[in-house]
Amino acid sequence: MEEKIEGIGIKVYNATPPENPTTPNATSTAAATTTLPRLSLGPGGGGRKRRAVAKGVQKTISKTSMLVNFLPTGTLLTFEMVLPSVYRTGDCSSVNTTMIYVLLGLCALSCFFFHFTDSFKGDDGKVYYGFVTTNGLAVFKPGIQVEIPKDEKYRVGLTDLVHSIMSVMVFIAIAFSDHRVTNCLFPGHQKEMDEVMESFPLMVGVICSALFLVFPTSRRGVGCMAS
């Protein structure tokens, strides 16, 4: 048995040395070796699809992340926690669709009414919440033993209405960015909704940011940090 060394550190053992390197067997072996298909090291179709999905999710998050600051704390979290149980397996039956409408309505109402609330810190160090009215602050807990402030800032005004409407628009923009909502509310229009939601959250964010600058507020109501 003859030892033949090819390359570095690789030994190939042949029983008998080939007499003619151009024999038919050697030729067919070389041809078979050269015609082997080369494996593609590039990304496959599955990889491209995963990257496209990740890019879409990242784009949606980047467009809607700044809008969360305009919502009462906990509203969006409640919506995202309840929506999976309502959407279930994605059947979008009449019951599921109705429940999604109810969930959207309740969250939108909370965004609207929470902007008509304010708070103050009493002499006892506790924070009290209430609705702002034309006559002042109407606290949620009647009969408290602390003095309720009568300042002008605790009266309802145009700024409160603007903030409440903008908050509802922001919530709708974020909620409709979720495919589980649009698939059930607008079946068969996925392509159109994708085109609309490409720019709608960004437009709402720009408009609301401008209006919130024109109509600033110092409210510290339900869902906001207490003063």
Side-chain angles (χ1 to χ4, degrees):
M1 180 177 294
E2 180 183 356
E3 179 180 340
K4 182 180 179 182
I5 302 177
E6 295 183 358
I8 300 176
I10 302 177
K11 296 181 180 180
V12 180
Y13 295 91
N14 296 328
T16 57
E19 298 178 357
N20 186 4
T22 59
T23 57
N25 291 337
T27 305
S28 60
T29 303
T33 304
T34 56
T35 56
L36 288 176
R38 183 173 295 180
L39 294 176
S40 176
L41 298 179
R48 288 194 297 268
K49 185 176 180 180
R50 286 193 295 269
R51 286 198 301 273
V53 172
K55 184 178 179 181
V57 172
Q58 183 178 5
K59 186 182 296 184
T60 301
I61 293 176
S62 63
K63 288 182 179 179
T64 59
S65 59
M66 65 176 181
L67 302 180
V68 180
N69 298 327
F70 300 138
L71 297 178
T73 304
T75 301
L76 185 60
L77 180 61
T78 302
F79 176 77
E80 292 295 340
M81 290 178 59
V82 179
L83 182 60
S85 61
V86 174
Y87 185 72
R88 295 181 181 275
T89 59
D91 294 336
C92 291
S93 62
S94 58
V95 176
N96 292 350
T97 303
T98 302
M99 293 178 66
I100 290 178
Y101 274 118
V102 173
L103 179 61
L104 289 173
L106 292 176
C107 292
L109 286 176
S110 68
C111 293
F112 185 85
F113 285 110
F114 284 169
H115 278 281
F116 289 96
T117 62
D118 206 345
S119 64
F120 71 96
K121 183 176 292 186
D123 299 334
D124 54 359
K126 296 181 180 179
V127 178
Y128 297 91
Y129 293 88
F131 280 109
V132 291
T133 64
T134 55
N135 298 324
L137 187 66
V139 295
F140 296 150
K141 185 178 180 181
I144 59 177
Q145 302 300 322
V146 297
E147 182 181 0
I148 302 175
K150 304 295 183 181
D151 301 345
E152 186 69 23
K153 68 176 183 178
Y154 292 107
R155 298 181 185 272
V156 67
L158 177 62
T159 301
D160 301 315
L161 180 61
V162 172
H163 277 253
S164 60
I165 294 176
M166 292 300 103
S167 181
V168 173
M169 290 182 59
V170 167
F171 171 74
I172 295 299
I174 296 179
F176 280 18
S177 298
D178 197 316
H179 68 91
R180 293 171 294 184
V181 176
T182 55
N183 288 348
C184 288
L185 301 188
F186 307 99
H189 298 279
Q190 182 178 0
K191 183 178 180 181
E192 291 81 356
M193 290 303 302
D194 289 342
E195 294 177 356
V196 172
M197 298 312 297
E198 278 289 325
S199 57
F200 180 66
L202 184 60
M203 292 174 57
V204 171
V206 172
I207 294 174
C208 292
S209 299
L211 288 177
F212 287 165
L213 289 175
V214 176
F215 298 95
T217 182
S218 59
R219 298 278 186 226
R220 293 295 182 268
V222 177
C224 299
M225 295 181 61
S227 57

